[in-house]
Amino acid sequence: MSDDRETDTASESSYQLSRHKKSLSSLTNLSSSSGMTSLSSVSGSVMSVYSGDFGNLEVKGNIQFAIEYVELLKELHVFVAQCKDLAAADVKKQRSDPYVKAYLLPDKGKMGKKKTLVVKKTLNPVYNEILRYKIEKQILKTQKLNLSVWHRDTFKRNSFLGEVELDLETWDWDNKQNKQLRWYPLKRKTAPVALEAENRGEMKLALQYVPEPVPGKKLPTTGEVHIWVKECLDLPLLRGSHLNSFVKCTILPDTSRKSRQKTRAVGKTTNPIFNHTMVYDGFRPEDLTEACVELTVWDHYKLTNQFLGGLRIGFGTGKSYGTEVDWMDSTSEEVALWEKMVNSPNTWIEATLPLRMLLIAKISK
């Protein structure tokens, strides 16, 4: 069932972390290759334009492509022809196994990413593939097209070889020259810096750790984390003056659907008040150092959810249960809130934190 059509009833009830087969304690063997940073096609979730390996390889060479909007089909067609003089991932043999990935930014909703096939053992791959996006023209004019070239090795790890970004707002769609194939120099990665710099608004929230929800029991009990999402401030408008926002919560490393709770959607304001409390139980004291609360804010429009910004509240150690993970990346302000919560049990700790760009963890079934 698609995330967009889920009712919000699940968000009212406590999620039994301890009873779910993927409880925090059983996730100790979670490997970082489990798709935590891959694109999720489920739920119109955003994924990472930015998962993969940057900086190992130099960026050089060019890509040849053309774009056209086909009015009849209401589709953007990106014709990816070829690349030349790419950097060599295999330095000895002077070759790479490159493919091309396309995104429409900032809306990486249901349409997700598109990609070509991998062409092996070459620095001059020929693709001649058309990547199609079903999208209304007026929405397309608010997007940027990001084409990036990647080397895929035998272990399916990706290495970045360069990217090109076109601002479709200023693109002249009527100019016939613009429908011709054209060469573009590949550039180093600049996108996340620009995205990070954008103001994504803030969230006002409070957290509380309740070590023993049922006092007086002889058995060792597990605690609860309570998350009170109060309101968001100055959310960005991605589609004109409309905004219909809601907040989703996941306790990482559990990315199952059952671990997710969400608020109702609040429309027609960039300062939505939610006043929604979510309760997660099954927290042993040691889980507090390994888990992370991921709160993401979304704009719900028709059948897609568009990512606006998020928070990751935890100790930000880069590790969870002994495994290195990308999502343990809390900022100093987010870490400070978590520390205060852990050190002040049974007390609401309030903060207003800036929302930021996140690599969203893939939802597991």
Side-chain angles (χ1 to χ4, degrees):
M1 188 172 177
S2 104
D3 190 47
D4 309 304
R5 299 189 192 89
E6 278 177 6
T7 61
D8 279 350
T9 49
S11 62
E12 304 301 331
S13 62
S14 156
Y15 162 57
Q16 305 289 322
L17 263 181
S18 49
R19 291 182 202 165
H20 186 53
K21 66 174 189 286
K22 270 200 175 174
S23 73
L24 288 176
S25 52
S26 67
L27 277 163
T28 48
N29 59 354
L30 184 80
S31 86
S32 55
S33 62
S34 65
M36 275 290 176
T37 58
S38 61
L39 186 125
S40 164
S41 56
V42 190
S43 85
S45 195
V46 174
M47 138 54 216
S48 144
V49 183
Y50 310 124
S51 62
D53 180 14
F54 297 101
N56 278 0
L57 298 170
E58 61 177 322
V59 169
K60 55 183 262 197
N62 298 275
I63 182 169
Q64 188 189 39
F65 67 94
I67 65 172
E68 181 178 2
Y69 188 76
V70 184
E71 298 279 0
L72 196 66
L73 302 171
K74 295 205 178 335
E75 284 183 354
L76 168 69
H77 287 189
V78 182
F79 180 69
V80 180
Q82 58 184 323
C83 298
K84 69 177 182 195
D85 305 328
L86 294 176
D90 183 337
V91 181
K92 263 190 199 158
K93 294 182 178 166
Q94 277 298 299
R95 64 192 195 191
S96 293
D97 296 345
Y99 70 98
V100 178
K101 220 174 1 179
Y103 286 92
L104 286 178
L105 305 174
D107 181 5
K108 302 181 292 289
K110 275 215 163 140
M111 296 179 296
K113 66 180 172 187
K114 312 279 181 189
K115 56 185 181 181
T116 67
L117 296 170
V118 176
V119 179
K120 298 210 164 180
K121 302 177 183 175
T122 178
L123 302 180
N124 301 291
V126 176
Y127 300 101
N128 290 332
E129 287 188 50
I130 296 176
L131 307 176
R132 296 177 167 85
Y133 288 91
K134 195 92 179 161
I135 185 167
E136 296 284 341
K137 196 165 187 182
Q138 67 267 30
I139 295 175
L140 187 64
K141 286 180 177 175
T142 66
Q143 312 277 295
K144 288 185 169 73
L145 172 69
N146 179 286
L147 283 185
S148 50
V149 186
W150 297 78
H151 160 72
R152 162 68 61 95
D153 75 10
T154 34
F155 302 107
K156 298 202 169 164
R157 288 180 305 219
N158 300 320
S159 300
F160 178 75
L161 298 176
E163 72 175 11
V164 175
E165 206 158 273
L166 293 186
D167 190 341
L168 302 181
E169 191 180 0
T170 55
W171 189 258
D172 185 353
W173 296 98
D174 302 321
N175 185 342
K176 287 209 169 76
Q177 296 292 133
N178 275 349
K179 293 176 185 173
Q180 305 298 314
L181 280 170
R182 210 184 282 176
W183 284 101
Y184 297 83
L186 290 166
K187 296 183 175 168
R188 290 175 183 283
K189 195 166 128 1
T190 53
V193 182
L195 283 167
E196 287 290 1
E198 283 175 20
N199 179 20
R200 293 178 172 270
E202 297 176 309
M203 184 187 294
K204 188 173 180 181
L205 74 161
L207 299 185
Q208 177 176 219
Y209 175 53
V210 181
E212 293 186 4
V214 189
K217 277 204 171 179
K218 296 269 168 69
L219 293 167
T221 61
T222 55
E224 294 176 348
V225 170
H226 297 204
I227 301 149
W228 178 4
V229 177
K230 296 189 173 186
E231 60 184 310
C232 289
L233 309 161
D234 301 323
L235 291 178
L237 289 167
L238 297 185
R239 45 183 183 91
S241 57
H242 304 286
L243 193 61
N244 186 30
S245 59
F246 68 95
V247 178
K248 224 190 275 190
C249 182
T250 305
I251 305 289
L252 300 172
D254 189 346
T255 58
S256 67
R257 281 186 176 279
K258 286 183 183 171
S259 126
R260 263 184 330 184
Q261 299 188 33
K262 59 183 182 178
T263 69
R264 71 191 191 288
V266 176
K268 298 181 180 168
T269 174
T270 53
N271 299 289
I273 294 171
F274 297 105
N275 261 333
H276 185 111
T277 305
M278 306 177 192
V279 174
Y280 287 87
D281 66 5
F283 271 94
R284 302 166 309 174
E286 59 266 35
D287 290 324
L288 293 171
T289 55
E290 311 296 341
C292 171
V293 173
E294 181 179 87
L295 290 163
T296 49
V297 188
W298 302 79
D299 177 21
H300 180 67
Y301 178 61
K302 291 185 177 170
L303 287 175
T304 62
N305 293 328
Q306 196 162 330
F307 178 71
L308 299 175
L311 305 172
R312 284 223 187 90
I313 303 161
F315 280 125
T317 56
K319 287 189 173 177
S320 173
Y321 299 105
T323 300
E324 287 192 21
V325 289
D326 292 343
W327 46 261
M328 249 321 184
D329 64 349
S330 301
T331 64
S332 54
E333 291 171 282
E334 291 164 352
V335 171
L337 173 58
W338 191 249
E339 279 179 349
K340 274 188 202 157
M341 178 202 79
V342 171
N343 295 330
S344 317
N346 300 309
T347 310
W348 283 108
I349 307 297
E350 189 180 295
T352 301
L353 299 176
L355 296 166
R356 59 188 175 98
M357 184 67 197
L358 296 181
L359 288 109
I360 305 295
K362 185 175 179 177
I363 302 303
S364 55
K365 290 285 185 282

